[in-house]
Amino acid sequence: MQSTGVASFRKMTPGMLESQRLAMANDIVKTTKAEVAITLKKAAPALGIDGTAYHILDILIGLTRADDWKQDRRPLVAISNDKLAEYVCRSTRTVIRALKRLVEVGILAYRDSSTGRRFIYRNGASGEIDRGYGFDFSPARQRIDEIKRIGEEFQARVRAEQEAKRTVNRLSRAIVDACRTGQSEGVDCTVFLEELSAIMETPMLLLERADKISKLYELIVEELAEENARDEQTAADFNEYAQMSSDHDIDVTPYNITTHQTPINSKIRQPSNDGSLNNNSASNEASKIALEKDQSSKFSAKSNAPAQLQSRQSGQLDNGLSEHLSAISIGLIDSATTETQEMLGMQFSSWFELAQSGEQLRLAIGLSEDGWKQAVVTLGEKMAAAVLVVTVEKTLRDPEGISRPAGYFRACVDRAKDGKLALHKSLYGLALG
């Protein structure tokens, strides 16, 4: 390993010194470019990395080579401040501040040359870095477990706050509805509404507000249930009293019970000469209703004909992508991409979850945002996500076999567009492998 130096013109801070110490560590942590990229993306908000700093981090980690993340190498990237400013459409001073932020949070380390220039010279045979100066991702590699824990804690906190927010919105509406119902039945709920207003207006943490509203809702439900029980008991006592007071009443049976006959009923129930009922009127009415239903169904079929024709034509215009997608199920993808799911810390139990992970999968193989958007436009979101996750899985299983995963993905997109990509065969192979 070469020594790591910092230019004398740069004012050092405690965070920068800690990054330099991590960059010079000898016990190199084993990891991969994809794992570091996804971990940094999850933990970026918790580390205070957003805006320009996040954009620059995405560019820098995409410029590193996957082989440089091996334990016997150093993940270096050499690019000038002016070029970065051009990429992110910001001033050079803004780029310098963003880079300093990435160094101070323990992701990058400065590796300065004697002249301040950033460059990398590689061995033509092996591709290893002979001499390199620029930005070193060794601190992020050394802190991969710590950064992963920070990201998981942040995600858990975000999920808890989202659930608390949903609880507050849901139960506050439920409390108002319950109070309105109670007031309509004569129950005074003014105290509960005032308590709800006080909870909503008092400054407090979201989790604390959710807990207070949950307890208030339970109290209201219990109070209304007791009130209903008292009302039912009162009604039962009244019925019992009424029954006791009428024990000595005389039951009177009516002498004659008659049923009012309408003209129509009289006509339908009138016996015929042979003793059977005359159902001519009912039969005519049923025939009329059946005829109307038959005519309406014919009219509906005619009105739906243009829509069916349009659907048939749109199916003919498809380039065969739907046939390829029909041979692929989310269950097959889930069983074939075990290493990708382990790296992401999630399961692909639905197409929605697979599509949501597209951004993380893109970063894992260093695919540009424009390249991913173009693939979605060409193949559709589902098919593009399926090709992307297969590319990531193959890269994780055989890093040496796919040296340029982003180029491999683009080639698969072109083959799928031409109908020559048998993606289901790759998935079956990965599932069995």
Side-chain angles (χ1 to χ4, degrees):
M1 291 288 179
Q2 300 178 5
S3 62
T4 301
V6 180
S8 59
F9 58 82
R10 187 177 292 114
K11 183 179 179 180
M12 299 300 294
T13 63
M16 294 166 61
L17 291 174
E18 178 62 18
S19 295
Q20 298 305 127
R21 186 190 66 80
L22 291 171
M24 294 186 293
N26 294 322
D27 52 338
I28 307 300
V29 177
K30 183 178 181 181
T31 184
T32 61
K33 175 183 176 180
E35 183 182 9
V36 173
I38 294 175
T39 301
L40 291 177
K41 178 179 176 61
K42 290 183 177 180
L47 296 174
I49 301 173
D50 55 5
T52 303
Y54 183 87
H55 195 179
I56 290 176
L57 174 64
D58 190 15
I59 293 173
L60 293 180
I61 202 168
L63 292 176
T64 60
R65 292 190 180 183
D67 292 339
D68 291 340
W69 289 87
K70 296 180 179 179
Q71 287 181 290
D72 58 341
R73 300 189 186 184
R74 185 178 292 275
L76 292 177
V77 57
I79 184 172
S80 66
N81 294 337
D82 293 337
K83 182 61 68 174
L84 281 174
E86 181 181 347
Y87 285 159
V88 299
C89 300
R90 295 291 185 272
S91 66
T92 304
R93 293 184 64 83
T94 301
V95 169
I96 293 174
R97 287 194 297 268
L99 291 170
K100 183 180 178 182
R101 177 61 182 165
L102 295 176
V103 173
E104 289 183 336
V105 298
I107 293 178
L108 293 178
Y110 292 114
R111 186 178 178 84
D112 298 323
S113 64
S114 58
T115 61
R117 291 180 57 250
R118 299 166 189 161
F119 59 89
I120 291 178
Y121 293 147
R122 295 185 179 272
N123 189 312
S126 63
E128 296 186 25
I129 297 176
D130 287 339
R131 284 186 301 160
Y133 298 96
F135 301 106
D136 189 354
F137 273 98
S138 295
R141 177 169 61 180
Q142 295 301 113
R143 297 180 59 212
I144 183 65
D145 293 333
E146 178 189 356
I147 297 175
K148 188 178 296 185
R149 176 180 54 80
I150 293 173
E152 291 173 354
E153 292 176 354
F154 175 77
Q155 295 293 333
R157 185 168 66 254
V158 169
R159 286 193 293 269
E161 290 178 352
Q162 290 176 344
E163 182 62 27
K165 185 176 181 180
R166 285 192 288 266
T167 300
V168 169
N169 295 333
R170 176 173 56 86
L171 293 186
S172 60
R173 291 194 297 267
I175 289 173
V176 173
D177 293 340
C179 288
R180 288 176 178 173
T181 302
Q183 289 174 344
S184 64
E185 296 177 357
V187 181
D188 187 10
C189 298
T190 307
V191 177
F192 299 133
L193 293 175
E194 291 177 352
E195 181 67 19
L196 174 62
S197 178
I199 293 174
M200 296 300 293
E201 294 176 0
T202 303
M204 64 180 71
L205 295 177
L206 193 58
L207 297 176
E208 183 181 359
R209 180 176 285 116
D211 181 62
K212 288 182 177 295
I213 286 185
S214 298
K215 292 180 180 178
L216 178 62
Y217 178 71
E218 293 174 1
L219 181 62
I220 292 175
V221 171
E222 183 179 354
E223 179 68 21
L224 293 179
E226 292 178 357
E227 187 68 25
N228 290 334
R230 286 193 294 267
D231 292 343
E232 291 176 0
Q233 184 63 35
T234 302
D237 294 342
F238 177 79
N239 291 335
E240 183 179 357
Y241 171 78
Q243 183 177 2
M244 291 174 62
S245 63
S246 60
D247 284 344
H248 301 286
D249 291 347
I250 300 175
D251 293 334
V252 178
T253 303
Y255 175 75
N256 187 20
I257 301 176
T258 59
T259 302
H260 177 68
Q261 295 275 341
T262 63
I264 297 178
N265 290 335
S266 301
K267 186 176 182 179
I268 293 177
R269 300 292 298 176
Q270 183 179 0
S272 60
N273 296 331
D274 58 354
S276 62
L277 296 177
N278 186 1
N279 295 325
N280 291 335
S281 178
S283 300
N284 293 336
E285 186 68 19
S287 300
K288 182 179 180 181
I289 295 174
L291 180 60
E292 291 177 353
K293 288 186 176 179
D294 184 53
Q295 291 176 349
S296 64
S297 62
K298 289 181 180 180
F299 177 76
S300 176
K302 290 180 180 180
S303 63
N304 289 335
Q308 295 174 355
L309 178 59
Q310 182 178 4
S311 175
R312 191 180 302 111
Q313 291 175 348
S314 63
Q316 293 174 353
L317 292 176
D318 191 4
N319 292 328
L321 296 178
S322 59
E323 296 180 1
H324 290 291
L325 195 58
S326 63
I328 302 171
S329 65
I330 191 62
L332 177 60
I333 293 177
D334 183 63
S335 61
T337 57
T338 54
E339 294 196 14
T340 303
Q341 295 175 48
E342 183 179 356
M343 178 187 67
L344 295 177
M346 63 180 297
Q347 289 185 337
F348 299 138
S349 56
S350 65
W351 284 105
F352 176 76
E353 292 180 352
L354 178 61
Q356 287 293 103
S357 63
E359 181 68 14
Q360 299 181 23
L361 296 173
R362 174 186 75 80
L363 289 174
I365 63 172
L367 179 66
S368 65
E369 187 175 357
D370 291 338
W372 168 240
K373 290 181 179 179
Q374 184 61 37
V376 172
V377 172
T378 304
L379 302 182
E381 190 174 23
K382 286 186 178 180
M383 189 65 180
V387 175
L388 181 58
V389 73
V390 168
T391 303
V392 174
E393 183 70 18
K394 287 186 175 181
T395 304
L396 291 175
R397 295 194 185 189
D398 186 15
E400 303 294 336
I402 302 179
S403 58
R404 296 177 61 248
Y408 180 86
F409 172 77
R410 293 189 182 93
C412 290
V413 171
D414 292 338
R415 289 178 61 85
K417 182 172 62 175
D418 297 335
K420 299 178 181 179
L421 180 66
L423 190 63
H424 61 286
K425 295 183 179 179
S426 298
L427 286 168
Y428 284 127
L430 291 172
L432 297 175

